Structure formats: C-alpha cells, structure tokens
C-alpha cells in the first residue's frame, strides 16, 4: 500500500507538479517515460513518488520517447492504467506510436508540455507539437494554467477509459509559461480524486491468459478503412462523454469546463480565438478595451482540440463580425492549421464573419496584452470597413519588416 | 521422413482478417483479435498443430505471398543443430523435440538467413525458385565439397 501523501486544500504548484500529482492520485499502474524539457519534472516528480513509496505502480525508464510510448502501449494492452509525459522532439519521436495507441484503442494519458519543434533548437513553448498530434486519433485537451492542468489530467483518465470511448487522451499545457509558473492550485484529496476517476476496468487485456488476444494486427485494404471509420466514430462519439465528465467534475469541485470556452461573447463584435495561456492574456486585453474604449471584444478558446468542436465553434462565433484566429505554430506553407479549422466551421454559417490569421509567439516569443489589444483593434477596423483591411495572414510580433500573405478580393 | 502436411498446411491462411464482418460498424474494437478458440490455459505446452488457433490469427493467415525464392530442406544432410531454428526471423523453421522437420511455407519470407547459418557440407537448406518442386530440388542437391586449400 502506498504511503499517504499530505496535500493541503490549497497548494502552490506549477503545471508540471500539478500534472504529476494527478498521475499519482490516479494510481497509475505504469509510467514509461523519457525526460525532455519542459515536461521533465512531471516524470521526475513521479519518479520521486515511486522512490518514496507514494505510488504502487511501475516506473519504466526507457531509452527514448519512441520506447516510452511503446512501453505505454504494451502496458495498456496488458490491462493497466498508463500515463506518460513529453514535449516537442520527444513528442515527434513518439509520433509513430501515438497512432498505434489510438488505433488499438488504448486509453493512455499523455501530458504534453507544448514546445517548439526544431530546427532551430528551442526549448520554449509554442504549439507546433500540439498541432503535430492533431490527426493521430487522440483526444486532445488544452489546459491554460496549472489548476486546469491538474483538473484536466484527472478528467482525461475518466474520459479515455470510459468503455464507450476507449481512446488515448493528451492534456496539453504551455511550456514554461504554465509548466514552470507556480500558482495557487486547489487539489482534491487523494480518495476523492481517485473515486472520481474510478477503478481501471480493462477490456481485452493481454494478461488474461484464459482468453489470449492479438494486438496490432495487419489489415491492408480489406479492413483498414473500416477500422479507421470506427475509430473516427469513437472519437466523434466521445463528445457527450467529455461533456458528462466535465459536468461531474463541476459537481465535485465547482469548476466548470466546456469543450469551447467563451468570454464576453454575449455581445462581442470582435473576437480572438486562441489556445493555451494566450487565452488569459486575450481576456485581460478584451476587458481593458471594453472599459477603456468601449470596443466589444470577446474571446473564444478551444478546450477540446480533438474531437474538434465544429458545431460549438460555429455557435460561439455566430454573432461576431470580425475574428482573429491565432496560430502559435509555423504555418508551413499554408494558412495556420487552427485558422483553417475555425474558418471551415464559420464557412458553413449564414453570417460568415471576417476571419484573419495571426501567426504569433513561435519558440516562446512573448504574447503581451498590448499585442492582443492591437489585434482586437485591427479586427475593429475590419468590422467597421466591412472587409479585411490587412493581409489575411499576418505574422505578429516578428522582428523587422512586416510579413503577411493574401488580401481580400473586394469590390 | 519430412512431414509435408506440417510444412504447408492447405487449410491455413484461407480466411482473411475479419472474414465474417460485413461493415465498418462490425469490425472489432481496436483490431483486437482472439488468438485461440476457447480456453487457452496451458497453451504453451501444446505444439502449434495441436492448438485451436482462431480463424483471424496471425498463425492462420499466410504472409508469404511476396516470397520469390524458397528454402528447401534436405533431411538426409541435416545434423539437427537447430541453428536455422534459432536464426529464422519469422519463426518458420519447424522443429520438434530438437529435430528439424521442415519449413512453414505459410510464413517463410524467403530471406535465406537459415541457409546462410546452416553449417553442414553441403548445406541442408538451399534456396530454390518458388515454383521448383521438392523432388526436383532434392535431386539437384550438390555433393559434399572438398575443403579448399588456403
Ligand atoms: S528463408 Fe528466412 S524466413 Fe524462410 S525459413 Fe529461412 S530464415 Fe526463415
Ligand atoms: S542449420 Fe542446417 S543442419 Fe542445422 S538444423 Fe538447420 S538445416 Fe539442419
């Protein structure tokens, strides 16, 4: 039996510590991990819990992130509750195995501390790795601060392990800004947290010797398409389960999460759509602009990046006139990936607001309240003019001359 | 005698994965397949041919269609050293009680690793083109070679 770990009703935790505490409270059977900045402290803390007897599970030290996720796949197929953490290059190295995990419907929890992808080498945060995972068939949730990193990690186990879902879940947080900033966190006591998640109930576990099974079979053109269709349906059908888990979590803690979060959207005309810590910055900017200049500014944030809340995005943005979609990832020769998804949702509305794409904050470049205000004001200009007065895609916060692409064909 | 039935069972590899399924909503969750029909306790103590493999098992499916050359086994030369059994990357050497019996042609990929490691003179395993009949291959077996002077 594990030693009791004393926690107060209010703790000062950074995002990494918050995530590692959630893993401890979930009584994970196996953590297979390889350290990578900025997520290293999650598994480092977890290693300390194991060494000090606070957890009963296994901590498997492997030689790479590819092996870490492979170990997780094996342990999960064997019938255990499994989790790990990663960032950036480590995430990229896991990429192949991420598809194995989701295709095999293994409810592994992966806490991803978002960081830029090299080259150039960079340990700071942006969302390149988050976007890289977007087609991997995992549920992806995004925490904007330490409290949320803790809360959503607890929810992740409950969502992924639900027998109607049976899919792996990533919980994202921003590298350094969330992962290394200590904030007040209100944790649950161990028993309460564990009761919320519940016992792990394996399906088709490899260690059931009375009914041995094969994982990872080959299907070719005969059945691959059908399996992918079924996997996609499972992901789409996870939406009500996510909502139900969020609702149950609210009853337990009073903290309410939504797949799409809206701030001041009742009457907002100009809107920033964003992910991660940028959301809180944008909210402060929106509030200040409302008070100072009477600009009706609002913020829409995507909590659940996969399955993408297409209908909720459309609903949340239906009253807006001009919208800035902020991509914290290099667009790689296209409009930002996030912009494309939000635009697709808006294209199917009757009102079709103006949408611009801002590439910002790459490699940890600061995103300030002033910059958010400037973007809001640009949106106001679009809304007043009735068309997009700038390039449709712009780089915001870049040194040197302006960089942008494409203009509205007006007139 | 070489057990030809054991070497290339006709009834194996007939059904494709998911053979009974008709639509996308009927495929198994996560492509998880049961390996055996019924209870499988103590299965490790049974020989492959005694086990009740399920239709969708990797043992029952043939994965050998891309082979262009096959290893042929000559029991008259073999010394049962088990080298080939140890080295075959596809577990396609059939050996029982440390006695080499032949090749599992439903799973052998034709990589020739077994031939390479066979220590006898002449080798007890040689590669022949896929369509060569066993008798023809055995009739064409080389003689013992003299050691070359160094
Ligand atoms: S050719 Fe390769 S696969 Fe076939 S039996 Fe020999 S070692 Fe095994
Ligand atoms: S390596 Fe050659 S001699 Fe040894 S068991 Fe195999 S076939 Fe026989």
């Amino acid at each position: 039996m594990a030693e009791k770990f004393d926690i107060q009703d209010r703790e000062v935790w950074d995002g990494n510590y918050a995530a590692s505490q959630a893993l401890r409270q979930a009584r994970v059977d196996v953590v297979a991990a390889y350290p990578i900045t900025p997520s290293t402290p999650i598994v480092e803390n977890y290693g300390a819990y194991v060494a000090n007897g606070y957890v009963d599970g296994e901590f498997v030290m492997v030689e790479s992130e590819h092996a870490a996720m492979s170990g997780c796949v094996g342990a999960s197929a064997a019938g255990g509750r499994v989790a790990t953490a990663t960032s950036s290059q480590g995430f990229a190295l896991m990429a192949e195995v991420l598809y194995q995990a989701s295709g095999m419907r293994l409810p592994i929890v992966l806490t991803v501390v978002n960081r830029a992808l090299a080259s150039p080498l960079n340990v700071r945060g942006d969302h390149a790795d988050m976007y890289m995972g977007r087609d991997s068939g995992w549920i992806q949730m995004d925490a904007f601060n330490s409290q949320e990193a803790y809360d959503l990690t607890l929810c992740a186990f409950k969502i992924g392990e639900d027998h109607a879902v049976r899919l792996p879940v990533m919980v994202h947080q921003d590298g350094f800004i969330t992962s290394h900033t200590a904030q007040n966190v209100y944790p649950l006591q161990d028993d309460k947290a564990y009761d919320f998640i519940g016992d792990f109930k394996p399906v088709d576990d490899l260690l059931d010797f009375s009914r041995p099974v094969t994982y990872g079979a080959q299907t070719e053109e005969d059945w691959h398409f059908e399996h992918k269709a079924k996997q996609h349906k499972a992901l789409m059908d996870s939406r009500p389960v996510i909502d139900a888990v969020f609702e149950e979590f609210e009853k337990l803690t009073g903290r309410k999460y939504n797949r799409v979060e809206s701030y001041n959207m009742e009457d907002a005309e100009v809107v920033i759509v964003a992910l991660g810590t940028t959301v809180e910055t944008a909210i402060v900017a929106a509030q200040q602009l409302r008070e100072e200049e009477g600009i009706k500014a609002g913020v829409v944030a995507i909590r659940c990046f996969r399955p993408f809340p297409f209908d909720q995005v459309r609903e949340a943005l239906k009253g807006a006139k001009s919208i800035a979609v902020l991509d914290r990832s290099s667009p790689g020769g296209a409009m930002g990936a996030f912009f494309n998804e939000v635009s697709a949702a808006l294209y199917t509305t009757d009102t079709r607001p103006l949408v611009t794409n801002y590439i910002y904050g790459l490699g940890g470049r600061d995103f300030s309240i002033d910059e958010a205000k400037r973007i809001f004001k640009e949106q106001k200009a679009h809304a007043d003019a009735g068309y997009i007065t700038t390039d449709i895609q712009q780089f915001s916060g870049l040194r040197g001359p302006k960089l942008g692409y494409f203009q509205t064909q007006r007139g | 005698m070489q057990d030809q039935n054991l070497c290339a069972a006709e009834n194996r590899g007939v059904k494709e994965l998911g053979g009974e399924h008709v639509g996308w909503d009927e495929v198994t969750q996560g492509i998880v397949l049961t390996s055996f029909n019924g209870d499988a306790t103590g299965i490790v103590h049974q020989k492959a041919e005694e086990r009740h493999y399920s239709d969708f098992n990797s043992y029952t499916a043939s994965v050998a269609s891309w082979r262009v050359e096959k290893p042929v086994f000559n029991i008259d030369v073999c010394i049962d050293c088990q080298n080939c059994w140890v080295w075959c990357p596809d577990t396609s050497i059939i050996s029982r009680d440390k006695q080499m019996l032949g090749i599992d042609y439903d799973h052998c990929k034709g990589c020739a690793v077994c031939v390479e490691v066979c220590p006898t003179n002449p080798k007890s395993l040689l590669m022949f083109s896929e369509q060569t009949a066993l008798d023809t291959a055995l009739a064409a077996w080389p003689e013992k070679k003299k050691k070359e002077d160094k």
Side-chain angles (χ1 to χ4, degrees):
Chain A
M1 221 4 224
E3 299 278 319
K4 188 172 164 19
F5 192 102
D6 280 325
I7 48 175
Q8 310 299 313
D9 292 337
R10 183 175 65 179
E11 294 277 353
V12 181
W13 289 349
D14 61 31
N16 277 333
Y17 201 80
S20 64
Q21 282 287 347
L23 300 195
R24 184 187 62 77
Q25 291 186 323
R27 298 185 202 161
V28 173
D29 294 309
V30 174
V31 169
Y34 192 84
I36 182 160
T37 304
S39 72
T40 302
I42 296 179
V43 288
E44 198 173 59
N45 296 335
Y46 192 82
Y49 304 149
V50 175
N52 294 326
Y54 291 119
V55 284
D56 288 330
E58 295 283 328
F59 184 48
V60 188
M61 277 168 269
V62 287
E63 90 291 355
S64 76
E65 284 86 351
H66 189 280
M69 189 44 71
S70 300
C72 288
V73 164
S76 184
R81 175 172 283 164
V82 175
T84 187
T86 197
S87 298
S88 183
Q89 306 306 117
F91 185 92
L93 191 50
M94 274 184 185
E96 181 202 346
V97 197
L98 295 176
Y99 285 76
Q100 307 278 3
S102 59
M104 294 185 208
R105 309 280 299 273
L106 301 172
I108 299 161
V109 171
L110 173 62
T111 51
V112 185
V113 181
N114 292 121
R115 168 187 147 185
L117 284 167
S119 170
L121 187 60
N122 183 315
V123 298
R124 300 277 157 185
D126 71 26
H127 294 155
D129 47 6
M130 186 193 314
Y131 288 11
M132 192 184 179
R134 72 187 194 276
D135 292 344
S136 64
W138 286 56
I139 294 172
Q140 288 181 284
M141 298 193 290
D142 190 18
F144 312 153
N145 56 45
S146 309
Q147 178 73 62
E148 295 178 0
Y150 170 80
D151 292 352
L152 292 176
T153 306
L154 294 181
C155 291
F157 287 101
K158 199 171 172 65
I159 293 165
E161 291 171 10
D162 190 298
H163 281 193
V165 178
R166 295 280 303 167
L167 282 170
V169 186
M170 288 176 208
V171 180
H172 297 272
Q173 54 174 288
D174 277 359
F176 291 102
I177 314 177
T178 299
S179 67
H180 286 64
T181 306
Q183 291 184 319
N184 279 337
V185 172
Y186 299 85
L188 295 166
Q189 288 302 314
D190 284 6
D191 288 350
K192 236 180 163 184
Y194 187 79
D195 287 347
F196 167 71
I197 301 171
D199 291 336
F200 183 67
K201 296 189 189 71
V203 177
D204 297 326
D205 43 328
L206 274 174
L207 290 183
D208 177 3
F209 292 122
S210 68
R211 187 180 165 274
V213 289
T214 302
Y215 270 84
Q218 191 169 352
T219 62
E220 299 310 328
E221 74 276 25
D222 289 329
W223 290 105
H224 184 89
F225 195 10
E226 282 70 25
H227 278 287
K228 283 295 164 193
K230 192 162 183 176
Q231 193 186 328
H232 180 67
K233 185 170 191 295
L235 202 47
M236 292 310 238
D237 288 353
S238 69
R239 291 172 292 168
V241 178
I242 297 170
D243 292 341
V245 169
F246 283 167
E247 219 172 291
E248 204 179 313
F249 191 78
E250 184 193 11
K251 284 198 192 108
L252 187 66
T253 64
R255 295 191 287 273
K256 173 73 179 143
Y257 292 101
N258 302 290
R259 282 184 292 124
V260 170
E261 307 283 7
S262 297
Y263 304 90
N264 286 334
M265 284 307 295
E266 297 74 31
D267 62 341
E269 291 176 352
V270 292
V271 185
I272 282 179
V273 182
L275 292 163
T277 45
T278 306
V279 174
E280 294 188 340
T281 308
I283 291 169
V284 176
Q287 282 163 352
Q288 289 183 4
L289 277 181
R290 276 179 180 258
E291 284 161 26
E292 292 160 7
E293 305 191 29
I295 295 176
K296 288 182 182 167
V299 179
V300 168
I302 312 294
R303 172 76 65 203
C304 193
F305 189 52
R306 284 290 181 277
F308 191 74
F310 191 86
D311 49 348
Q312 294 190 345
V313 167
R314 223 166 30 175
E315 183 62 25
L317 291 169
K318 70 171 185 238
K321 287 186 179 150
S322 187
I323 297 162
V325 183
L326 274 52
D327 272 80
R328 196 166 201 160
S329 171
S330 174
M335 303 301 279
F338 191 37
F339 168 86
N340 283 340
E341 302 207 345
V342 174
S343 298
L346 293 168
Y347 193 78
T348 51
T349 58
D350 298 332
T351 45
R352 271 199 224 161
L354 305 169
V355 200
T356 40
N357 182 205
Y358 291 82
I359 309 299
Y360 78 104
L362 304 190
R365 175 68 47 86
D366 260 353
F367 182 76
S368 62
I369 295 170
D370 276 351
E371 197 174 342
K373 281 184 175 172
R374 189 184 65 73
I375 290 171
F376 272 128
K377 282 183 192 164
E378 242 167 50
Q379 297 312 304
K380 179 84 170 75
H382 302 333
D384 291 345
Y387 62 89
I388 297 169
T389 60
T390 60
D391 287 337
I392 299 175
Q393 181 181 60
Q394 304 173 52
F395 279 60
S396 181
L398 186 68
R399 292 187 186 129
K402 277 193 176 184
L403 185 62
Y405 294 96
F406 308 117
Q407 294 195 336
T408 313
Q409 299 163 301
R410 49 181 188 271
Chain B
M1 260 305 284
Q2 297 183 40
D3 187 342
Q4 292 306 311
N5 278 333
L6 198 59
C7 297
E10 286 292 307
N11 58 348
R12 280 207 250 135
V14 177
K15 290 207 180 177
E16 292 298 328
L17 175 78
E20 283 161 18
H21 298 299
V22 293
W24 67 270
D25 52 338
E26 289 173 89
V27 294
T28 51
Q29 167 176 290
I31 331 163
V32 172
L33 309 172
T34 48
S35 312
F36 304 99
N37 293 322
D39 183 51
T41 22
I43 203 99
V44 287
H45 304 298
Q46 290 175 359
K47 292 180 173 135
E49 59 273 22
E50 296 163 0
R51 297 174 183 167
H52 298 289
Y53 286 104
S54 67
D55 283 344
F56 314 138
N57 194 284
S58 50
Y59 182 76
T60 29
S62 173
V63 287
S65 60
W66 73 329
R67 189 179 59 227
V68 289
E69 284 194 319
K70 64 183 177 188
V72 172
F73 168 59
N74 189 335
I75 201 167
D76 295 335
V77 199
C78 174
I79 56 167
D80 292 320
C81 71
Q82 309 293 297
N83 247 8
C84 53
W85 182 82
V86 169
W87 282 90
C88 172
D90 287 295
T91 338
S92 296
I93 301 291
I94 306 168
S95 171
R96 292 286 172 267
D97 302 322
K98 294 184 189 156
Q99 224 190 340
M100 168 66 180
L101 292 180
I103 314 288
D104 168 2
Y105 285 124
D106 284 339
H107 297 96
C108 164
K109 304 284 201 321
C111 68
V113 167
C114 52
V115 172
E116 190 65 32
V117 299
C118 181
T120 57
N121 183 2
K123 284 182 183 286
S124 316
L125 285 161
L126 285 173
M127 298 306 282
F128 286 86
S129 74
E130 185 61 28
Q131 67 271 22
T132 312
L134 181 69
D135 295 348
T136 320
L138 289 176
W141 216 263
E143 294 291 311
K144 181 171 177 162
K145 263 195 225 151
K146 284 217 174 94
K147 272 194 180 166
E148 283 167 29
D149 291 339
K150 289 200 177 146

